[in-house]
Amino acid sequence: MKTKTKSELEKELIKLRRKITELEKSETQSKQAELENEERRLYLQAVLTNAPDAIITMNAKHKTIMCNQGAEELFGYSCDEMIGNDIDDLIAGADKFEEARDYSKLVLDGKNVSTTESVRYRKDGSPVEVMVAGSPIFIDNKLVGAVAVYTDITDLKRMKYEIEEYSQELEHKVEQLQKLNEELSQYTYAVSHDLRAPLRALINYSRFLQEDFGDKLNEIGKDYIQSIAENALYMEELVVDLLEYSRIGRIKPKTNEVDLGKLLDNIISKLHPGDNVQIILPPKLPIIQGSELHLEQIFSNLLSNAFKFNMTLKPQITVECLDKGNVWEFAVRDNGIGIDPKYFDKIFRIFQRLHTQEEYEGTGIGLAIVKKAIEEQGGTVWVVSAPNKGSVFSFTLPKK
Ligand code: ADP
């Protein structure tokens, strides 16, 4: 054997040293990887343990491999009791066994199955309502098992049940209220209807008294009869308005295409506003789908109020109409006495007036009719005003 020279030996030594360093390096790297793997494993273990739901993993033969604390808490079995067993045998119960089997079969066939609501049984036999979610586990495209997540939905179901009960109760109350409302409206209608004939008689007889026996009465007697006639007339006005109010909602009016331009011209000529009153209409008013009767009630009351509650020498009323997509928005603007905002709600209530009969005549039903007619057609009404600053009554009407 040839003896190696000194330089050859030195070269080999260098090579050997290099190899040792490489080996040391790769050992450190694999230790590092091992550490990282252990860390990852512990992290996943912690996620599984601390998850609020019951999580159970199983192998391809449906035997439990792993379970978490949530599963122990929900079903009352320890992990030792679950591991190695078919979970359906433990918790599905006789009534849900088939269903659970079918579900597991689908998951272990590699299908992603949507969550389902069901019942499972605890170790003590008590049922628990759960939401079950199952999903297959693949490693390198090979199905190795499945994971099942069970969420306790007892509270959720109880809340759902309570909400259903409340809404049923509410529906019942609404029905009762609707019935009462209907009865009340029928009662109002019947009373006001029946009051009309005796009232008419009272008005006529007080007129006959004035005409036939007026000269036999002194001034006080004449004043009394005059007062009876005026009050009976006012009562008739009230009864007529009340009848009109009770009709809205009780009888469904016909809806058809209404030419608003024509309708407003008719209303204005019927109201006789006086030469000093200026009413400005939009240059073009649309033809809209609605109840002509309701539209007449709305505009007629708003327009008559606009010049009635007006002390200026030149009352000016402007009607506005805006196309707001799904709804029409109308406004009736005046330069009248205005309204204190604290009365905005009150004035829409029946019989609520802010003035005496001597100051401004009226029955206090007009705006209640307006509100009811607008709401009956699915719209809303509101007012913007201030004392001595005029008022703007706006309302919407859905197009459909
Ligand atoms: P009435 O006109 O018969 O008094 P309404 O229901 O139409 O009854 O109106 C209720 C009250 O609202 C009126 O008494 C009045 O005080 C106030 N009001 C209504 N419209 C106007 C208006 N355009 N300007 C000022 N006040 C108004």
Side-chain angles (χ1 to χ4, degrees):
M1 203 165 117
K2 184 186 159 219
T3 354
K4 288 180 181 168
T5 62
K6 190 181 172 217
S7 95
E8 278 172 338
L9 279 171
E10 269 173 1
K11 267 185 196 161
E12 261 182 28
L13 197 66
I14 287 169
K15 257 190 200 167
L16 270 171
R17 272 198 190 129
R18 208 175 281 148
K19 224 170 205 153
I20 288 169
T21 323
E22 268 170 22
L23 274 172
E24 275 173 356
K25 210 168 143 193
S26 102
E27 199 184 337
T28 329
Q29 272 174 348
S30 70
K31 264 193 187 147
Q32 181 86 21
E34 232 172 70
L35 265 174
E36 277 173 15
N37 273 343
E38 178 60 9
E39 235 171 63
R40 212 170 294 148
R41 198 186 64 79
L42 285 173
Y43 179 77
L44 284 175
Q45 182 95 42
V47 170
L48 197 71
T49 310
N50 296 309
D53 296 322
I55 302 175
I56 291 166
T57 62
M58 54 206 82
N59 63 16
K61 290 190 177 143
H62 209 254
K63 296 282 181 267
T64 305
I65 302 274
M66 236 164 80
C67 61
N68 71 346
Q69 204 176 309
E72 289 184 317
E73 279 164 15
L74 185 61
F75 298 121
Y77 288 100
S78 68
C79 274
D80 285 346
E81 286 171 303
M82 287 185 269
I83 289 169
N85 279 313
D86 185 323
I87 193 65
D88 292 342
D89 288 341
L90 296 180
I91 62 168
D95 59 334
K96 298 287 170 193
F97 193 76
E98 281 300 311
E99 176 207 283
R101 259 287 122 84
D102 291 347
Y103 194 88
S104 306
K105 197 177 170 313
L106 283 174
V107 178
L108 286 175
D109 275 352
K111 310 230 167 52
N112 265 315
V113 193
S114 57
T115 52
T116 175
E117 256 182 55
S118 192
V119 175
R120 292 292 181 263
Y121 293 88
R122 297 189 183 95
K123 190 179 174 183
D124 64 10
S126 59
V128 55
E129 305 216 50
V130 286
M131 185 75 94
V132 188
S135 168
I137 304 174
F138 291 96
I139 296 179
D140 292 334
N141 286 329
K142 194 170 165 268
L143 187 114
V144 293
V147 55
V149 180
Y150 301 86
T151 311
D152 184 350
I153 54 166
T154 316
D155 286 346
L156 204 79
K157 286 286 251 193
R158 205 198 53 241
M159 263 153 40
K160 218 168 131 186
Y161 177 71
E162 278 173 7
I163 289 172
E164 265 166 28
E165 267 201 339
Y166 282 136
S167 67
Q168 263 174 19
E169 208 177 297
L170 215 72
E171 252 172 54
H172 182 63
K173 289 228 161 94
V174 168
E175 261 172 41
Q176 275 182 325
L177 223 71
Q178 269 171 345
K179 226 167 118 193
L180 269 175
N181 222 0
E182 236 165 72
E183 273 171 22
L184 205 72
S185 145
Q186 257 159 20
Y187 179 73
T188 317
Y189 178 78
V191 169
S192 26
H193 186 268
D194 292 355
L195 274 177
R196 280 188 90 179
L199 258 177
R200 232 351 43 214
L202 200 68
I203 293 163
N204 288 339
Y205 280 113
S206 52
R207 195 170 343 113
F208 298 156
L209 252 178
Q210 275 173 326
E211 284 168 9
D212 301 344
F213 300 97
D215 50 354
K216 295 200 175 61
L217 293 170
N218 63 13
E219 285 311 306
I220 297 174
K222 281 184 197 164
D223 277 355
Y224 284 167
I225 294 179
Q226 181 59 22
S227 196
I228 292 172
E230 275 172 13
N231 276 290
L233 272 170
Y234 178 59
M235 207 161 156
E236 192 185 39
E237 247 180 79
L238 273 171
V239 166
V240 169
D241 282 359
L242 210 58
L243 264 177
E244 194 178 332
Y245 179 79
S246 70
R247 268 198 194 108
I248 307 172
R250 210 170 58 81
I251 301 164
K252 277 260 166 282
K254 270 196 287 174
T255 57
N256 39 1
E257 289 199 331
V258 183
D259 185 335
L260 276 185
K262 269 195 197 152
L263 183 81
L264 280 169
D265 286 346
N266 281 341
I267 293 172
I268 293 165
S269 68
K270 270 196 225 163
L271 288 175
H272 305 296
D275 293 340
N276 60 330
V277 179
Q278 190 191 12
I279 300 183
I280 305 162
L281 299 181
K284 199 169 171 351
L285 274 160
I287 293 174
I288 68 168
Q289 190 71 25
S291 146
E292 184 156 355
L293 177 74
H294 282 169
L295 286 164
E296 178 162 358
Q297 285 167 326
I298 296 162
F299 279 109
S300 163
N301 277 297
L302 291 180
L303 287 171
S304 60
N305 278 350
F307 59 81
K308 179 164 75 173
F309 298 104
N310 203 314
M311 299 299 280
T312 55
L313 292 175
K314 280 185 176 281
Q316 194 182 70
I317 300 150
T318 316
V319 177
E320 290 158 18
C321 168
L322 288 173
D323 184 343
K324 291 245 168 150
N326 289 337
V327 293
W328 292 107
E329 188 175 306
F330 297 97
V332 177
R333 186 183 292 275
D334 67 51
N335 59 345
I337 61 170
I339 305 159
D340 189 322
K342 68 177 180 221
Y343 298 123
F344 283 177
D345 283 337
K346 181 179 173 170
I347 55 171
F348 287 103
R349 281 185 234 131
I350 194 159
F351 298 132
Q352 298 298 325
R353 311 194 68 229
L354 307 180
H355 307 278
T356 61
Q357 194 63 11
E358 285 70 37
E359 286 173 299
Y360 297 97
E361 283 188 352
T363 57
I365 304 181
L367 285 181
I369 290 179
V370 168
K371 185 170 156 69
K372 210 173 169 192
I374 289 169
E375 287 176 356
E376 190 59 27
Q377 298 195 69
T380 43
V381 59
W382 67 97
V383 59
V384 175
S385 182
N388 303 317
K389 293 273 187 288
S391 309
V392 189
F393 282 86
S394 305
F395 62 97
T396 55
L397 288 180
K399 287 189 179 169
K400 271 190 196 151

